[in-house]
Amino acid sequence: MAELTYREAVAAGIAQEMERDERVAFLGEDVAAAGGVFKATVGLLERFGPRRVIDTPISEQAILGAAMGAAMTGMRPIAEIMFSDFLAVCWDFPANEFSKARYMSNGQIKLPLVVRCGNGAGSRFGAQHSQSVENWAMAIPGLKVVAPSTPADVKGLLAAAVRDDDPVMFFEHKSLYALKGEVPDGEHVDQLGVARIVRPGKDCTIVALALMVHRALAAAEKLAERGIEAEVIDVRSLVPLDTRTILGSIARTGRLFTVEENPRLCGWGAEIASIAADELFYDLDGPIVRITTPHIPLPAADNLEDIVLPTVDRIVETVTRSMA
Amino acid sequence: MARPRKKPVASPGNDDIGEDKRLELWRKQLEIRHCEQRAYDLFLQNLVKGTSHLSLGQEAIAAGFAAAMRPDDKSFCTYRGHAHTLARGVPMEQMLGELMQRDCGLMRGKGGSMHLTSIDHGVMGSYAIIGAHLPIAVGSAWRAQYLGHDDVTVVFFGDGTTNIGAFHEALNYAVVFKLPVVFVCENNLYMEYTPIGAITAVEHPAADRAGAYGLDKIIIDGNDADEVYRTAQTAFAKARAGEGPSLIECKTYRHSGHSRADPGAYRPKGELERWKEHDPIKVYRARLAEFGIADAVIDDIEQAVKAEVERATAVCKAAPLPPEDILTTDVYADGGWAWRN
Ligand SMILES: Cc1ncc(C[n+]2csc(CCOP(=O)(O)OP(=O)(O)O)c2C)c(N)n1
């Protein structure tokens, strides 16, 4: 096992797939010579050359459109949208084009492409560079949606996304790029649609994604000191969604908390809460509680951003109060 | 009575096309004309559902480009894509069947008139979001360049599309990377109901902007299939030689309204009549005669096309509706729609 940062795991995942399959090429703004604004793609240009690692103009529609056109005619491109907020500029492609082409063509079109982007808050960038928008993508039939929390998952899930024949929206968390972790040596390919129990517990289930997984884990440690054993689940993939693992856990613990960076309305936690209420109502021992940001744009200032994102303390307090 | 045979005009440029190709261009234009007129009739009978966007009057563009395409070339078109779909050789009953939302349709009714797709014919889809397909076509061209294929990607769009961002992004991108893509603007003078001149900063919405992307300003008579065919050949040769994209503005006019039963009441009096004088079918019939092709040959083709339209209509009318079990197929690549386990 090698220790890699989350950002190094991005490059490692892309490199692994480009090595394996000539049809994989990578495009985005400042991704080649500069190695990406988050330095997540350093070294790829040197290794694979400008034919396969491409610096594009600031043309989000052209980037996603080109990825789609290439995918539907025989390539397996990876496209980067620098900040996930900018997906709004080219949202036609995920929302109308590559999510629907297979269905509308009655299966004639196949779209093996990956859109990667830096997602999430914590960098004091303000409201247009800090959003978590994985829930936008989750609402669209035809897309797959992945958000890894560890370097190993970045590499393994990215590889799985590249090999998948559906369009995959791949949300990397900006505040995790420096995180270090063990990544399996050699070829590493994970599986989409598998949630992971990252901490077993018997008293309640905390379901989290990306950065919030780490906060939920820290909260679980503190809760243990208070005598509450929380089971923490890393959802990892919103579509497909591993409800078996999630519902199995809730059935055992009887309690569900979701921790998400999304604003209060229509975050993915609401969907999981709804599924649990639907299918496990009689197993529940208390209300389902969502821990989210308030329904406000994200502020830039340190102290303000810290207040709105779910913190370890907020998770601890919310769970403790609700379990009392 | 047969018209007097004229000698071919002594322009060397005209001799390159030849009788076989001319008859192919004639047939394609007629197929589009008669099939679209039938689509309109079927719409009035409520047998074509939803909407339909005809390109009556614009046939020469679809026919001219398709006649210059190889089977492995790719074409991308808009919701006004019946013509381009037929021109690539898609069987009539599959096109009409999709408009009638029958099981025999190209996508078995899952796409509808605005989303005609036939990958086997290189028809890479019709796109209903204005401009979206320009960057997608660029990606198809990138694939050709990347994998070392020498097919060309052609993308058709209207004049109104030149005012959307994707047009500009796609052009710059294609030029920067010298991609084998040919952008074809069908300037039919109207967006939906608004004259393009009233809402566009330049006179020639596509061609006047070509220079901004380092491209030649190409404006052609889009109602003359020969001119379209020749221009297409030149652009394709350039693309295949690795010399990058072209942008071609074809001047034309749609005889019908924008969609469905739009009567086009916003058009100034006499405009339609003036353009009908320059109807591509009329222009081409005269051209064929000019080249000494017998009326009987010309008429036989027209009769055959009409019979084909009748046949296809009958097939579609008899075809069943799509079965409900296809409703949830092909949302994802495994053929199904499951988003959870
Ligand atoms: C992004 C977007 N905006 C608006 C529309 C509605 N709309 C459909 S057709 C059309 C006019 C397009 O004009 P043009 O590009 O000239 O094509 P034409 O219909 O003349 O072939 C508009 C505005 C749309 N489909 N997509």
Side-chain angles (χ1 to χ4, degrees), chain A residues 11-12 15 18 31-36 39-49 53:
Chain A
M18 290 184 68
V31 298
K39 298 286 171 221
T41 56
V42 171
L44 292 174
L45 175 66
E46 291 69 21
R47 197 158 154 197
F48 297 101
V53 182

Side-chain angles (χ1 to χ4, degrees), chain B:
Chain B
M1 198 198 82
R3 285 194 217 176
R5 286 190 163 225
K6 276 192 206 159
K7 268 180 75 71
V9 271
S11 148
N14 278 344
D15 295 330
D16 53 343
I17 293 182
E19 184 164 326
D20 287 352
K21 208 55 169 179
R22 282 221 168 78
L23 293 180
E24 179 190 330
L25 285 163
W26 174 237
R27 174 184 281 274
K28 276 189 195 298
Q29 292 181 88
L30 289 177
E31 280 174 1
I32 299 165
R33 170 66 54 95
H34 291 294
C35 196
E36 287 221 299
Q37 274 170 344
R38 177 54 51 88
Y40 184 72
D41 296 343
L42 292 168
F43 180 80
L44 294 181
Q45 293 166 40
N46 200 29
L47 287 170
V48 163
K49 307 293 179 62
T51 186
S52 71
H53 304 78
L54 306 179
S55 38
L56 295 172
Q58 306 183 197
E59 295 88 348
I61 300 167
F65 273 93
M69 273 183 236
R70 291 192 326 215
D72 63 331
D73 290 333
K74 315 278 183 249
S75 51
F76 289 79
C77 56
T78 72
Y79 50 87
R80 198 181 302 288
H82 313 161
H84 299 293
T85 305
L86 283 175
R88 298 291 318 266
V90 171
M92 226 176 248
E93 70 266 20
Q94 290 186 19
M95 200 282 283
L96 274 182
E98 191 63 28
L99 267 58
M100 291 167 70
Q101 305 180 355
R102 302 294 169 116
D103 200 34
C104 68
L106 265 175
M107 295 90 68
R108 303 184 73 189
K110 284 172 80 175
S113 77
M114 296 200 283
H115 302 290
L116 302 173
T117 304
S118 181
I119 301 298
D120 286 347
H121 294 90
V123 177
M124 306 307 291
S126 320
Y127 295 78
I129 307 291
I130 300 298
H133 60 314
L134 278 71
I136 300 171
V138 163
S140 164
W142 170 40
R143 175 269 324 154
Q145 184 191 64
Y146 182 93
L147 296 177
H149 301 166
D150 73 341
D151 62 276
V152 173
T153 300
V154 187
V155 52
F156 301 96
F157 52 92
D159 41 279
T161 303
T162 63
N163 286 325
I164 206 159
F167 168 83
H168 300 273
E169 291 197 15
L171 275 166
N172 180 60
Y173 199 102
V175 171
V176 163
F177 296 112
K178 272 199 160 186
L179 298 175
V181 54
V182 177
F183 296 92
V184 182
C185 175
E186 300 187 49
N187 183 357
N188 61 17
L189 309 189
Y190 288 87
M191 196 184 82
E192 275 176 335
Y193 314 123
T194 307
I196 193 66
I199 43 159
T200 305
V202 290
E203 188 186 350
H204 308 288
D208 284 347
R209 283 140 163 178
Y213 302 102
L215 294 173
D216 291 340
K217 175 172 180 168
I218 303 174
I219 301 173
I220 63 169
D221 178 355
N223 283 15
D224 180 340
D226 282 357
E227 187 170 342
V228 174
Y229 174 67
R230 283 199 194 91
T231 309
Q233 284 181 308
T234 308
F236 291 1
K238 177 183 170 192
R240 283 195 228 285
E243 287 160 23
S246 305
L247 171 62
I248 298 160
E249 181 168 331
C250 306
K251 307 259 320 192
T252 188
Y253 194 80
R254 64 167 149 77
H255 295 175
S256 51
H258 167 66
S259 67
R260 290 187 279 188
D262 166 29
Y266 42 85
R267 302 189 287 197
K269 247 183 107 182
E271 187 178 79
L272 174 61
E273 290 67 28
R274 275 198 305 285
W275 276 92
K276 278 192 169 169
E277 286 301 302
H278 196 52
D279 177 344
I281 303 289
K282 194 169 164 178
V283 167
Y284 217 69
R285 179 175 261 282
R287 179 73 43 77
L288 293 177
E290 198 180 315
F291 275 84
I293 296 170
D295 276 1
V297 174
I298 299 172
D299 291 339
D300 279 356
I301 292 176
E302 184 147 21
Q303 289 317 315
V305 167
K306 284 182 174 165
E308 174 61 7
V309 173
E310 292 305 334
R311 190 197 61 79
T313 307
V315 169
C316 293
K317 281 185 173 168
L321 297 178
E324 289 181 9
D325 63 10
I326 65 166
L327 195 60
T328 51
T329 60
D330 280 313
V331 175
Y332 292 103
D334 62 5
W337 66 311
W339 55 274
R340 56 170 284 188
N341 58 21

